[in-house]
Amino acid sequence: GVIKKLEFGASVIADGLNVFNGSVHLDNMAGTSSIVSLYNAAKSAFTTQMREENYVVAGVALHTVADFYSHSNYIDLYSEYADKNGLSMDIDDIPTFSAAMNDKKFMKFVEKRGGLKTGIFPGKGERSHKEINMDSNDSSNGGSPYNEKNPTGPTKHEAARRVAQKELN
């Protein structure tokens, strides 16, 4: 069925056959405009492929959109922005990136902090995928608290996963 084909595209094709493809995983990127372009292209591809019933290809695009949240510094930047501006620190209140892009104040903040970045894969050090990713609670960044003032609260992985699910719905 449709779900099986989407899952096949999102897992086997995206993670298996395209494991080193930086544009599928949003890896090896620095610069808000290039990341925004790839993110928007993936969202558009998902919609088009679903409409055309190319569910496996739609699954790959779905993977790219979800990886934006766990492979970029968006969650880190939004957490800092929300804290500095007295916004809710509940992970259910993190806006999708589609919504956040329309917040001029937030986007100005992103640029002041050096812009959006994704991890370098494969790579070592501070900008590496290993250090930036939030793929699981076991990853060094993913397992750290989303809200530093609440060390026992949700992790960055849980925050990334929650907002990705909101986006994908």
Side-chain angles (χ1 to χ4, degrees):
V2 173
I3 300 296
K4 287 273 184 241
K5 289 178 180 175
L6 281 168
E7 287 174 346
F8 184 79
S11 61
V12 175
I13 303 296
D15 267 342
L17 299 177
N18 285 294
V19 71
F20 291 105
N21 184 333
S23 63
V24 168
H25 299 285
L26 281 160
D27 286 326
N28 307 315
M29 299 184 79
T32 304
S33 61
S34 58
I35 293 173
V36 165
S37 294
L38 195 56
Y39 170 87
N40 285 333
K43 280 189 62 175
S44 177
F46 174 74
T47 304
T48 301
Q49 298 305 325
M50 286 299 288
R51 188 175 48 246
E52 294 176 3
E53 298 180 10
N54 296 327
Y55 302 121
V56 172
V57 179
V60 175
L62 189 68
H63 185 103
T64 302
V65 172
D67 271 1
F68 165 78
Y69 294 101
S70 61
H71 291 191
S72 74
N73 60 343
Y74 174 71
I75 295 295
D76 292 321
L77 289 169
Y78 191 80
S79 172
E80 187 182 340
Y81 176 77
D83 183 49
K84 278 191 159 92
N85 288 282
L87 303 174
S88 167
M89 293 299 289
D90 188 299
I91 63 173
D92 288 322
D93 295 330
I94 302 168
T96 63
F97 186 58
S98 300
M101 277 191 277
N102 296 319
D103 181 340
K104 287 178 178 38
K105 188 177 173 192
F106 172 68
M107 293 307 286
K108 218 175 253 182
F109 174 82
V110 166
E111 289 314 303
K112 273 191 197 146
R113 306 297 286 142
L116 288 172
K117 296 175 180 69
T118 64
I120 297 164
F121 182 84
K124 289 184 170 39
E126 164 183 317
R127 265 290 315 286
S128 73
H129 174 84
K130 184 180 185 303
E131 294 304 315
I132 288 179
N133 94 76
M134 298 169 211
D135 290 339
S136 74
N137 280 325
D138 296 332
S139 59
S140 54
N141 195 30
S144 57
Y146 166 68
N147 177 357
E148 290 175 7
K149 293 177 182 159
N150 182 8
T152 59
T155 64
K156 290 179 184 179
H157 166 71
E158 290 159 344
R161 187 179 172 126
R162 186 71 53 91
V163 73
Q165 285 170 329
K166 187 191 304 188
E167 176 82 71
L168 301 177
N169 287 341

Coordinates of all heavy atoms in Angstrom, one line a residue, residues 74-90 93-95 105-106 109 113 145-150:
Y74 N 18.5 24.3 13.5 CA 17.2 25.0 13.7 C 16.7 24.8 15.1 O 16.3 25.8 15.8 CB 16.1 24.4 12.7 CG 14.7 25.0 13.0 CD1 14.5 26.3 12.7 CD2 13.7 24.2 13.5 CE1 13.2 26.9 13.0 CE2 12.5 24.7 13.7 CZ 12.2 26.0 13.5 OH 10.9 26.6 13.7
I75 N 16.7 23.6 15.7 CA 16.1 23.4 17.0 C 17.0 24.2 18.0 O 16.4 24.8 18.9 CB 16.1 21.9 17.4 CG1 15.1 21.1 16.5 CG2 15.8 21.6 18.8 CD1 13.7 21.5 16.6
D76 N 18.3 24.1 17.9 CA 19.2 24.9 18.8 C 18.9 26.4 18.7 O 18.8 27.1 19.7 CB 20.6 24.7 18.5 CG 21.1 23.2 18.8 OD1 20.7 22.7 19.8 OD2 21.9 22.7 18.0
L77 N 18.8 26.9 17.5 CA 18.5 28.3 17.3 C 17.1 28.7 17.8 O 17.0 29.7 18.5 CB 18.6 28.7 15.8 CG 20.0 28.7 15.2 CD1 19.9 28.8 13.7 CD2 20.9 29.8 15.8
Y78 N 16.1 27.9 17.6 CA 14.8 28.3 18.0 C 14.7 28.2 19.6 O 14.1 29.1 20.2 CB 13.7 27.4 17.4 CG 12.4 28.0 17.7 CD1 11.9 29.1 17.0 CD2 11.6 27.6 18.9 CE1 10.7 29.8 17.4 CE2 10.5 28.3 19.3 CZ 10.0 29.4 18.5 OH 8.9 30.0 18.9
S79 N 15.3 27.3 20.2 CA 15.4 27.2 21.6 C 15.9 28.4 22.2 O 15.4 29.0 23.2 CB 16.2 26.0 22.1 OG 16.4 25.9 23.5
E80 N 17.1 28.9 21.7 CA 17.7 30.1 22.2 C 16.9 31.3 21.9 O 16.7 32.2 22.8 CB 19.1 30.3 21.4 CG 19.9 31.4 21.9 CD 21.2 31.5 21.2 OE1 21.7 30.6 20.5 OE2 21.8 32.6 21.3
Y81 N 16.2 31.4 20.7 CA 15.4 32.5 20.4 C 14.2 32.6 21.3 O 13.8 33.6 21.8 CB 14.9 32.4 18.9 CG 14.0 33.4 18.5 CD1 14.4 34.7 18.1 CD2 12.6 33.1 18.3 CE1 13.5 35.6 17.7 CE2 11.7 34.1 17.9 CZ 12.1 35.3 17.5 OH 11.3 36.3 17.1
A82 N 13.5 31.4 21.5 CA 12.3 31.4 22.4 C 12.7 31.8 23.8 O 11.9 32.6 24.4 CB 11.7 30.0 22.4
D83 N 13.8 31.3 24.3 CA 14.2 31.7 25.7 C 14.5 33.2 25.8 O 14.0 33.8 26.7 CB 15.5 30.8 26.0 CG 16.0 31.1 27.5 OD1 15.1 31.0 28.4 OD2 17.1 31.4 27.7
K84 N 15.2 33.7 24.8 CA 15.6 35.2 24.9 C 14.4 36.1 24.7 O 14.4 37.2 25.2 CB 16.5 35.5 23.7 CG 18.0 35.2 24.0 CD 18.9 35.8 22.9 CE 20.3 35.9 23.4 NZ 21.2 34.9 23.2
N85 N 13.3 35.6 24.1 CA 12.2 36.4 23.8 C 10.9 36.1 24.7 O 9.8 36.5 24.4 CB 11.8 36.3 22.3 CG 12.8 37.1 21.5 OD1 12.8 38.3 21.4 ND2 13.7 36.3 20.9
G86 N 11.2 35.3 25.7 CA 10.1 34.9 26.6 C 9.0 34.1 26.0 O 7.8 34.2 26.4
L87 N 9.3 33.3 24.9 CA 8.3 32.5 24.3 C 8.2 31.2 25.0 O 9.1 30.8 25.7 CB 8.6 32.3 22.8 CG 8.8 33.6 22.0 CD1 9.3 33.2 20.6 CD2 7.5 34.3 21.9
S88 N 7.1 30.5 24.7 CA 6.9 29.1 25.3 C 8.0 28.2 25.0 O 8.5 28.2 23.8 CB 5.6 28.5 24.8 OG 5.5 27.1 25.2
M89 N 8.5 27.5 26.0 CA 9.6 26.5 25.7 C 9.0 25.1 25.6 O 9.8 24.1 25.6 CB 10.6 26.6 26.9 CG 11.4 27.9 26.9 SD 12.4 28.2 25.4 CE 13.7 27.0 25.6
D90 N 7.7 25.0 25.5 CA 7.1 23.7 25.3 C 7.4 23.2 23.9 O 7.2 23.9 22.9 CB 5.6 23.8 25.5 CG 4.9 22.4 25.5 OD1 4.9 21.7 24.5 OD2 4.3 22.1 26.6
D93 N 5.1 23.8 21.0 CA 5.0 25.2 20.5 C 6.1 25.6 19.6 O 6.1 26.8 19.1 CB 4.9 26.2 21.7 CG 3.6 26.0 22.6 OD1 2.6 25.5 22.0 OD2 3.7 26.2 23.8
I94 N 7.0 24.7 19.3 CA 8.0 25.0 18.3 C 7.3 25.1 16.9 O 6.7 24.2 16.5 CB 9.1 24.0 18.2 CG1 9.8 23.8 19.6 CG2 10.2 24.3 17.2 CD1 10.7 22.5 19.7
P95 N 7.5 26.2 16.2 CA 6.8 26.3 14.9 C 7.5 25.5 13.9 O 8.7 25.2 14.0 CB 7.0 27.8 14.5 CG 8.2 28.3 15.3 CD 8.2 27.5 16.5
K105 N 11.6 38.6 12.6 CA 12.5 38.8 13.8 C 13.3 37.5 14.0 O 14.5 37.6 14.3 CB 11.6 39.1 15.0 CG 12.4 39.5 16.2 CD 11.4 39.9 17.3 CE 12.2 40.1 18.6 NZ 11.3 40.2 19.8
F106 N 12.7 36.3 13.9 CA 13.4 35.1 14.1 C 14.5 34.9 13.0 O 15.6 34.6 13.3 CB 12.4 33.9 14.1 CG 13.2 32.6 14.1 CD1 13.9 32.2 15.2 CD2 13.2 31.7 12.9 CE1 14.6 31.0 15.2 CE2 13.9 30.5 12.9 CZ 14.6 30.1 14.0
F109 N 17.4 36.9 13.7 CA 18.1 36.3 14.8 C 19.0 35.2 14.2 O 20.2 35.0 14.6 CB 17.1 35.8 15.8 CG 17.8 35.0 16.9 CD1 18.4 35.6 18.0 CD2 17.8 33.6 16.8 CE1 19.0 34.9 19.0 CE2 18.4 32.8 17.9 CZ 19.0 33.5 18.9
R113 N 23.2 34.9 14.3 CA 23.8 33.7 14.9 C 24.6 32.9 13.9 O 25.1 31.8 14.2 CB 22.8 32.8 15.6 CG 21.9 33.5 16.6 CD 22.7 34.1 17.8 NE 23.1 33.1 18.7 CZ 24.2 33.1 19.4 NH1 25.1 34.1 19.2 NH2 24.5 32.1 20.2
P145 N 19.2 18.5 26.8 CA 17.9 19.1 27.0 C 17.5 20.2 25.9 O 18.4 21.0 25.6 CB 17.9 19.7 28.4 CG 19.2 19.4 28.9 CD 20.1 18.8 27.9
Y146 N 16.3 20.2 25.5 CA 15.8 21.3 24.6 C 15.9 22.6 25.3 O 16.3 23.6 24.7 CB 14.4 21.0 24.1 CG 13.8 22.1 23.4 CD1 14.2 22.6 22.2 CD2 12.7 22.8 24.0 CE1 13.7 23.7 21.5 CE2 12.1 23.9 23.3 CZ 12.6 24.4 22.1 OH 12.0 25.5 21.5
N147 N 15.4 22.6 26.5 CA 15.4 23.8 27.3 C 16.5 23.7 28.4 O 16.3 22.9 29.3 CB 14.0 24.0 27.9 CG 13.9 25.2 28.9 OD1 14.9 25.9 29.1 ND2 12.7 25.5 29.4
E148 N 17.6 24.4 28.3 CA 18.7 24.2 29.3 C 18.2 24.5 30.7 O 18.9 24.1 31.6 CB 19.9 25.1 28.8 CG 20.5 24.5 27.6 CD 21.6 25.4 27.1 OE1 22.0 26.4 27.7 OE2 22.1 25.1 26.0
K149 N 17.2 25.3 30.9 CA 16.7 25.6 32.2 C 15.9 24.5 32.8 O 15.5 24.5 34.0 CB 15.9 26.9 32.2 CG 16.7 28.1 31.9 CD 15.9 29.4 31.8 CE 16.8 30.6 31.5 NZ 16.0 31.7 30.9
N150 N 15.6 23.5 32.0 CA 14.8 22.3 32.4 C 15.6 21.0 32.0 O 15.2 20.4 31.1 CB 13.4 22.3 31.8 CG 12.5 21.2 32.2 OD1 12.9 20.4 33.1 ND2 11.4 21.0 31.6

